[in-house]
């Protein structure tokens, strides 16, 4: 529906409130419920929203190292605009109308810290080059027999997974939680997040959901909404869902792989496919892949944004550690899938489930376009076999601090995303490192308290 149709729908159905939200720099949804009249009044000129949402971390602690906002600015309102094309109803909340917003102005002067605005900018570049970007993200997450209060009461110890044991692709485990399992699939469908598949992964209480592919902006919207939607649906069933990349050192981590391809503007021709190539890869796809390989060390925090992200990126844990690519190889960072013209695509396997979809997709698309613009040659041989041992093109950084320092100094990152975004984003990542560095962990207490 367009703006006028939405207003008529709200008035005809006597709807007095709507809900909207946007993703902050961590991908956390922030928003509110507003009266229908306020919604209508702001459709043209936008709404004021306190910019502290880009001035604090995921725990609402205010940054002391960013210029965008802070005590030095007084935390003013910034113009926030609702994208009416994102309307959907929340089926588990009495079908209240819901919209996605971002921090953009009518004149195109967007807030450089806004992840959705960044992706819109990269998407425009792609479309101006004549391509339609088709993307999808898939997520793994753990489910627990817990509540936020029970975790606080137990100080996040003795956390109880929803089901015991390692049982990937289990029909039995999902049937034992059938109310929750089918509620996820059915209610996400009604919320305009249709799933291609939903199943258990290996690990106690792990699910994996693959979202059906769509235009990159819509795909990122759906990915960002899925995480909060899953948590809300789980909560209604007395279950707590976590999208941490690695919650337990002895269990596999949780991925957030991104699938992507470029099509013609009519969405009829997959430009990554070439019947004349041995592996069905077009020259365009090879350039796109080369761009991702080249840019990867410069953009790693956009795929792996937390301290915890790097505890997933370890050898033998179904997550990459090297700058590699391969044909249907799950040990490589970039996996080429080429089964048919319709489904030839690239899977970027670095992101975990803790990634911000807008930033991860921005990184993937921008670096791929960089390869196309610069006609980069795919001169790195594909990995055959164990990608953990293939270090000819380098390794991924093993921690957030080093990855963030690389990005902060990178001319490539600034060329792709602008100095304003790179400076703000990397400072927020360095803030994460600072918060972690001053914390005394259980590991340190157990190791040093008595013995040292």
């Amino acid at each position: 529906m367009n703006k006028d149709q939405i207003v008529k729908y709200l008035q005809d159905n006597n709807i007095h409130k709507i809900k909207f939200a946007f993703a902050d720099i961590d991908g956390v949804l922030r928003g509110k419920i507003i009266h229908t009249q306020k919604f209508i009044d702001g459709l043209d000129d936008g709404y004021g929203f306190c910019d502290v949402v880009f001035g604090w971390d995921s725990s609402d602690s205010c940054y002391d190292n960013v210029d965008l906002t802070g005590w030095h600015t007084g935390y003013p309102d910034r113009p926030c605009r609702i994208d009416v094309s994102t309307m959907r109803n929340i089926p588990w909340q009495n079908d209240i109308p819901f919209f996605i917003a971002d921090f953009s102005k009518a004149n195109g002067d967007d807030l450089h810290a806004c992840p959705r605005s960044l992706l819109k900018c990269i998407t425009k570049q792609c479309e101006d080059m004549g391509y339609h970007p088709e993307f999808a993200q898939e997520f793994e997450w753990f489910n627990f027999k817990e509540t936020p209060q029970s975790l606080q009461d137990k100080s996040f110890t003795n956390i109880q997974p929803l089901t015991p044991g390692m049982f990937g692709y289990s029909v039995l485990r999902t049937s034992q939680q059938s109310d929750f399992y089918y509620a996820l699939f059915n209610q996400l469908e009604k919320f305009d997040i249709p799933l291609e598949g939903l199943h258990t992964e290996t690990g106690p209480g792990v699910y994996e959901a693959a979202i059906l592919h769509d235009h990159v902006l819509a795909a990122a919207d759906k990915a960002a909404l899925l995480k909060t939607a899953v948590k809300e649906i789980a909560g209604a069933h007395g279950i707590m869902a976590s999208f941490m990349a690695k919650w337990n050192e002895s269990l596999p981590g949780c991925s957030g792989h991104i699938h992507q391809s470029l099509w013609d503007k009519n969405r009829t021709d997959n430009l990554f496919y070439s019947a004349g190539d041995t592996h069905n890869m077009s020259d365009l796809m090879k350039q796109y892949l080369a761009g991702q390989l080249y840019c990867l060390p410069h953009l790693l925090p956009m795929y792996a944004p937390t301290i915890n992200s790097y505890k997933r990126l370890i050898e033998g844990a179904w997550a990459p550690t090297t700058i590699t690519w391969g044909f249907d190889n799950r040990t490589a960072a970039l996996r080429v899938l080429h089964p048919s013209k319709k489904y030839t695509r690239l899977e970027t396997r670095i992101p975990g489930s803790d990634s911000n979809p807008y930033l991860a997709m921005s990184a993937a698309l921008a670096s791929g376009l960089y390869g196309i613009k610069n006609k980069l040659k795919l001169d790195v041989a594909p990995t055959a076999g164990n990608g953990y041992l293939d270090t000819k093109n380098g390794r991924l950084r093993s921690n957030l601090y080093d990855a963030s320092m690389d990005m902060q100094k990178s001319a490539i990152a600034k060329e792709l995303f602008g100095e304003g975004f790179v400076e703000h984003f990397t400072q927020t990542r360095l803030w994460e490192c600072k918060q972690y560095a001053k914390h005394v962990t259980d590991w340190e207490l157990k190791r040093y308290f008595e013995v040292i």
Side-chain angles (χ1 to χ4, degrees):
M1 293 188 285
N2 61 32
K3 180 181 70 174
D4 293 337
Q5 291 171 325
I6 288 172
V7 171
K8 186 175 187 303
Y9 166 81
L10 296 174
Q11 293 172 338
D12 289 350
N13 289 276
N14 198 30
I15 295 172
H16 297 289
K17 60 182 180 295
I18 67 98
K19 192 174 187 178
F20 76 94
F22 53 86
D24 68 11
I25 202 73
D26 288 291
V28 177
L29 289 188
R30 308 278 186 171
K32 61 174 72 173
I33 288 175
I34 60 174
H35 195 279
T36 300
Q37 189 58 54
K38 181 175 178 66
F39 167 75
I40 294 172
D41 290 345
L43 283 176
D44 291 326
D45 299 324
Y47 314 83
F49 209 107
C50 179
D51 72 2
V52 71
V53 292
F54 290 105
W56 62 22
D57 63 17
S58 58
S59 296
D60 289 6
S61 294
C62 294
Y63 301 127
D64 63 9
N65 63 341
V66 299
D67 293 329
L68 175 71
T69 191
W71 302 118
H72 60 287
T73 68
Y75 294 110
D77 281 351
R78 298 270 186 162
C80 172
R81 302 182 71 84
I82 287 175
D83 185 341
V84 295
S85 71
T86 65
M87 180 184 173
R88 64 247 290 150
N89 298 90
I90 307 177
W92 56 92
Q93 293 181 4
N94 298 318
D95 283 327
I96 183 173
F98 177 87
F99 300 84
I100 296 173
D102 53 53
F103 283 72
S104 59
K105 298 178 181 177
N107 63 4
D109 183 14
D110 298 340
L111 184 68
H112 57 245
C114 177
R116 191 172 191 264
S117 295
L118 180 70
L119 181 57
K120 286 163 65 175
C121 178
I122 305 301
T123 301
K124 184 178 186 304
Q125 294 175 23
C126 180
E127 292 174 341
D128 287 347
M129 293 171 67
Y131 309 126
H132 166 90
E134 193 76 3
F135 276 60
Q137 191 163 14
E138 56 185 2
F139 289 105
E140 297 166 348
W141 74 91
F142 277 80
N143 299 290
F144 301 93
K145 293 181 179 178
E146 301 288 354
T147 67
Q149 189 60 54
S150 73
L151 285 180
Q152 291 288 338
D153 293 343
K154 297 194 298 184
S155 299
F156 290 83
T157 60
N158 301 315
I159 304 173
Q160 185 179 1
L162 181 62
T163 54
M166 312 289 277
F167 207 166
Y169 301 103
S170 171
V171 174
L172 176 63
R173 285 288 184 258
T174 53
S175 67
Q176 292 167 341
Q177 304 291 336
S178 60
D179 287 348
F180 174 51
Y181 183 63
Y182 289 111
L184 283 172
F185 196 94
N186 295 336
Q187 293 194 329
L188 287 171
E189 175 87 25
K190 291 179 181 178
F191 193 48
D192 192 26
I193 308 178
L195 300 184
E196 182 181 272
L198 176 66
H199 60 87
T200 66
E201 255 295 353
T202 185
V206 189
Y207 281 12
E208 177 177 334
I211 306 172
L212 281 172
H213 57 84
D214 204 337
H215 178 273
V216 63
L217 185 60
D221 287 340
K222 291 173 182 178
L225 293 178
L226 178 135
K227 292 203 278 187
T228 295
V230 165
K231 292 175 184 179
E232 291 180 350
I233 296 169
H237 288 79
I239 295 167
M240 192 170 184
S242 174
F243 287 79
M244 274 187 73
K246 183 90 167 177
W247 83 274
N248 186 300
E249 67 170 295
S250 62
L251 295 172
C254 292
S255 68
H257 302 155
I258 296 173
H259 295 255
Q260 64 229 257
S261 55
L262 298 182
W263 293 62
D264 67 343
K265 286 194 171 182
N266 295 323
R267 303 176 70 169
T268 57
D269 189 14
N270 183 353
L271 302 178
F272 275 10
Y273 178 84
S274 173
D277 183 78
T278 304
H279 298 287
N280 297 334
M281 292 177 66
S282 68
D283 289 341
L284 188 80
M285 183 180 189
K286 293 174 184 177
Q287 292 171 355
Y288 186 98
L289 173 54
Q292 284 208 8
L293 285 168
Y294 181 77
C295 295
L296 180 51
H298 302 267
L299 312 176
L300 184 55
M302 296 177 74
Y303 296 126
T306 73
I307 293 289
N308 186 250
S309 302
Y310 296 82
K311 299 185 179 182
R312 167 182 163 266
L313 299 174
I314 58 174
E315 292 187 9
W318 300 99
T321 60
T322 54
I323 304 172
T324 47
W325 73 280
F327 297 106
D328 200 8
N329 188 332
R330 286 183 168 87
T331 68
L334 303 173
R335 175 180 173 227
V336 171
L337 295 158
H338 53 100
S340 65
K341 182 175 182 179
K342 185 175 181 180
Y343 289 106
T344 293
R345 63 195 186 277
L346 178 65
E347 179 188 29
T348 302
R349 295 179 57 81
I350 301 97
S353 57
D354 60 344
S355 59
N356 180 335
Y358 295 109
L359 298 188
M361 292 190 195
S362 290
L365 182 56
S367 56
L369 294 177
Y370 181 88
I372 294 171
K373 291 173 185 175
N374 292 280
K375 300 188 185 315
L376 296 186
K377 297 291 185 183
L378 185 57
D379 52 10
V380 177
T383 297
N386 190 345
Y388 299 118
L389 303 178
D390 186 355
T391 60
K392 62 179 177 289
N393 200 43
R395 293 182 178 274
L396 299 176
R397 286 292 197 179
S398 62
N399 62 80
L400 180 60
Y401 180 82
D402 288 342
S404 297
M405 290 301 295
D406 286 349
M407 183 174 179
Q408 189 173 66
K409 294 180 289 187
S410 169
I412 296 294
K414 293 170 185 175
E415 176 183 344
L416 295 181
F417 307 114
E419 290 191 18
F421 169 78
V422 172
E423 177 62 19
H424 180 80
F425 176 65
T426 56
Q427 285 296 99
T428 68
R429 299 311 93 194
L430 293 172
W431 167 271
E432 288 289 304
C433 298
K434 180 180 176 182
Q435 304 315 298
Y436 178 68
K438 67 184 182 182
H439 184 69
V440 178
T441 66
D442 290 344
W443 182 89
E444 292 169 276
L445 289 173
K446 292 175 183 177
R447 193 171 186 88
Y448 303 129
F449 192 91
E450 178 186 6
V451 177
I452 295 298

